[in-house]
Amino acid sequence: RKGTMKTRIILAGLAALALIALIFGLRLWRDSGAGDGPLSTLPEGLEGSVVYECGEGICRASLGSGEEIVLTADGRYPRWSPDGRHIAFLRARRLMRMRADGSGAETLASVEAPRAVSYHPGGGEILFTDGMAIKSYLLDSGTVQSRLRGRRFLELDLSGAGERLVTTVKERGFRIVAFDLPDGKGRAVATGCSASLSPDGEFFTSLDRSHTRLSIRSWTSGGVRSVVEAPLGLKFDNQFWSNHPDWLVSRSEGEEEDIYLHRVSTGTATRVTFSGGADRPDLHVSRAP
């Protein structure tokens, strides 16, 4: 009986250890970035192009064809113009613009501490961060105006009408702040990063700390409308809403940093680049089914 009791105690201890190991393993799996978003192929009839950082330069990938071309060997943070004809970007301490094929690169303005860029939806100006300020370059006059000051602005996006702006700031961690323009009144609306706006300005994005869940939140309430999951086993970052309400882009983290398209309505993801080293994507949809 003593032997039987001892065996039972040992078996119970082993079972408890196994349960603890299972729980710990599940936590590690969850925290490692194992999302559950399904992978999918591009739907027939979807046309457009993604621009993104590739090494020290900027590349463009056409949807469907899989063609990836280098637009410039020196540039970062590319953003499409609303009509898809131009790309704004940064080069060292300069705000730049080039045509969609990479030709005609021109310096628009000198910037002391640039980080992020966003085309105004009207197409007539380009907003950019400069240290603790957000400024605007007016294409018609070539003048620079100050828009917002007082925070360390890291990311930037404007709504379809240009009256709503979201930005990621570094304040006791990463926070997303929403501004009503032109009065410049700001309010913290979420923790996290990857701030971008739906084309109509009714929703914004926020990425959680695990980099596996992107929340789609209401501009008015800040409440979560839906969640876009990372593909299984991956983490992703630097999501950005395209000019189409159902599509946004991201880059995967890890050894293969490539660009993925995410469909908001279905939560599916599609890989569109395969060269690695990609970041800060922006998608312009020219035709959608």
Side-chain angles (χ1 to χ4, degrees), residues 38-46 63-64 247 260-263 266-272 274 289:
L39 289 172
S40 176
T41 57
L42 289 176
E44 186 176 349
L46 181 66
L63 302 186
W247 293 96
Y260 283 75
L261 267 62
H262 302 265
R263 194 167 191 174
T266 62
T268 54
T270 305
R271 185 176 177 180
V272 294
F274 298 85

Side-chain angles (χ1 to χ4, degrees), residues 77-211:
Y77 217 107
R79 289 294 179 256
W80 284 110
S81 63
D83 59 10
R85 297 175 59 186
H86 292 89
I87 300 163
F89 64 101
L90 298 172
R91 176 180 289 169
R93 293 185 177 181
R94 290 176 288 168
L95 173 67
M96 306 285 295
R97 186 176 71 154
M98 61 184 168
R99 298 188 186 97
D101 62 1
S103 65
E106 58 180 336
T107 298
L108 301 180
S110 297
V111 189
E112 287 295 320
R115 187 178 180 95
V117 177
S118 182
Y119 243 101
H120 189 283
E125 57 184 304
I126 301 171
L127 277 75
F128 58 94
T129 62
D130 190 357
M132 300 285 284
I134 293 177
K135 299 178 181 179
S136 176
Y137 177 86
L138 305 181
L139 290 165
D140 287 343
S141 63
T143 58
V144 174
Q145 297 180 348
S146 179
R147 287 297 197 102
L148 298 168
R149 289 187 175 276
R151 282 183 159 103
R152 186 185 175 195
F153 301 105
L154 305 180
E155 294 173 317
L156 178 64
D157 194 19
L158 286 92
S159 71
E163 82 284 359
R164 292 176 175 178
L165 181 150
V166 290
T167 179
T168 302
V169 300
K170 189 72 176 293
E171 295 175 352
R172 300 182 301 278
F174 294 104
R175 296 176 180 271
I176 295 177
V177 180
F179 291 89
D180 292 289
L181 300 177
D183 60 19
K185 293 182 179 180
R187 55 192 172 95
V189 289
T191 58
C193 58
S194 291
S196 70
L197 278 162
S198 61
D200 61 6
E202 292 300 318
F203 301 96
F204 67 93
T205 57
S206 65
L207 179 64
D208 74 353
R209 294 176 62 184
S210 74
H211 283 208

